[in-house]
Amino acid sequence: MGRTPCCDSKGIKKGPWTPEEDKLLVDYVQANGSGSWRLLPKLAGLNRCGKSCRLRWTNYLRPDIKRGPFTPEEHNSILQLHAIVGNKWSMIAAQLPGRTDNEIKNYWNTHLKKQLRQEALGEDAAATRLAAAACPAARHMAQWETARLEAEARLSILSSSITTTITSGPTASSSSSTVAGAEHAAPDIFLRLWNSEVGESFRSSVVQGQGPDPAASAVGLPALPAPGDGSSAATSTIATEAADEYQAFLDLAVEEFALLHGRLGAFSVFPPADVLAEASCLFTPFE
DNA sequence: AACGATCTCAACCGCAACGAT
DNA sequence: AATCGTTGCGGTTGAGATCGT
């Protein structure tokens, strides 16, 4: 299978791999490691470009490749991760041992994309919910989309809360209400990341010289700038920086998925079952 | 059985990021 | 600082398989 070779310049072979070529590549990599992909074809006796060899190895010949159809768990993981990181196939693949980015990309384009498109076409919100109620995968997607939107909204509220605090004077209730609203979104990915190493690093480096907000601490949210300390201009600058840094943290955290997974061991981007149970009120419309 | 339409997925292409010089 | 070579990623392609008529 595969695309027909577009050219045959320099005598480099393209197109589908033969079993003989596969054997040459596997034997060489197992004996010597991948090393330099550019030099590998020549050393392994293959008439292929290094790029082609790397692709063949990583997507097909690697011994830890998991074959066969995607399990429901993998299916749901792909839906959830895609809702968070988008088309970052390598990042999603890093969370699914044995699956390659190419495989996940194909699965998304052939199965999930089509499924989502069909749901989107000609269906109003009520019809979508009915369908979601009948289809576990769609329901899962809807739940995660809800959680994601809530997280975005919370971030927005947090930013405006900071601004409000600065421009209209100190009010204990403004930060309290923000935190109370955020408490409902406790199981979302951003909060879990906030409580991870990345979040800890961020807190220690960015949020400095501010007394901890007890309510915020209770749910693991960042302390807001302490009201009324310093001039309004200086505080405003701090607030802007805090908001920028918070966004930078979120960007960084998403980029760090794979790293976190390895470094924290039990770390999961998904909430544990007990937390999910506690937060089930979030998803009641779909249950 | 024959044929066209649709689906699947291995492989290619182009580009960006990164390191070496 | 600029250039070059290498690697990895995401988007796309198209041959073969499967389905529908």
Side-chain angles (χ1 to χ4, degrees):
Chain A
M1 270 201 280
R3 157 191 292 207
T4 304
C6 59
C7 64
D8 199 18
S9 60
K10 301 174 189 171
I12 298 295
K13 187 182 175 189
K14 294 184 179 180
W17 281 64
T18 65
E20 291 74 25
E21 288 176 314
D22 283 346
K23 187 174 188 313
L24 280 172
L25 180 55
V26 169
D27 287 349
Y28 182 85
V29 173
Q30 286 181 343
N32 306 286
S34 56
S36 166
W37 286 111
R38 193 181 71 84
L39 299 175
L40 186 147
K42 192 170 286 183
L43 296 172
L46 284 160
N47 189 25
R48 296 269 183 175
C49 69
K51 202 172 183 176
S52 182
C53 293
R54 185 183 63 81
L55 212 62
R56 183 65 178 171
W57 174 258
T58 56
N59 286 342
Y60 201 82
L61 299 175
R62 237 173 48 201
D64 57 332
I65 295 278
K66 186 195 277 185
R67 295 267 149 219
F70 283 80
T71 65
E73 289 75 21
E74 289 173 324
H75 176 97
N76 289 334
S77 294
I78 294 170
L79 284 174
Q80 292 162 4
L81 287 164
H82 188 272
I84 297 168
V85 302
N87 294 5
K88 299 293 180 187
W89 308 119
S90 59
M91 206 179 286
I92 295 173
Q95 303 299 319
L96 298 173
R99 299 297 187 181
T100 69
D101 53 357
N102 203 40
E103 199 176 9
I104 292 167
K105 180 172 59 182
N106 281 333
Y107 185 66
W108 176 267
N109 286 331
T110 58
H111 295 86
L112 306 182
K113 202 170 166 182
K114 186 174 64 182
Q115 174 188 324
L116 294 176
R117 191 187 296 129
Q118 283 172 350
E119 284 167 13
L121 283 176
E123 288 183 346
D124 59 17
T128 303
R129 287 196 174 188
L130 281 175
C135 171
R139 185 177 60 202
H140 225 125
M141 187 67 180
Q143 289 174 350
W144 273 85
E145 186 63 13
T146 300
R148 188 178 68 80
L149 290 172
E150 252 192 73
E152 287 180 359
R154 179 164 54 81
L155 178 62
S156 176
I157 290 169
L158 181 65
S159 300
S160 62
S161 172
I162 292 170
T163 307
T164 303
T165 304
I166 302 313
T167 55
S168 61
T171 54
S173 61
S174 68
S175 46
S176 303
S177 62
T178 303
V179 169
E183 193 170 337
H184 279 291
D188 71 52
I189 174 60
F190 301 103
L191 189 51
R192 290 181 67 75
L193 286 164
W194 180 261
N195 288 324
S196 72
E197 274 185 31
V198 175
E200 189 177 76
S201 166
F202 168 79
R203 287 194 296 277
S204 63
S205 64
V206 176
V207 185
Q208 294 174 345
Q210 299 165 9
D213 179 333
S217 301
V219 294
L221 278 173
L224 298 176
D229 58 340
S231 68
S232 63
T235 315
S236 178
T237 303
I238 292 170
T240 304
E241 286 175 0
D244 288 347
E245 293 292 349
Y246 191 80
Q247 182 59 55
F249 154 71
L250 292 177
D251 292 342
L252 173 68
V254 169
E255 294 295 325
E256 293 282 306
F257 268 151
L259 188 59
L260 276 169
H261 190 268
R263 216 192 316 165
L264 300 183
F267 171 85
S268 168
V269 297
F270 310 120
D274 58 328
V275 175
L276 266 182
E278 277 182 33
S280 61
C281 59
L282 274 177
F283 307 128
T284 46
F286 305 106
E287 293 299 332

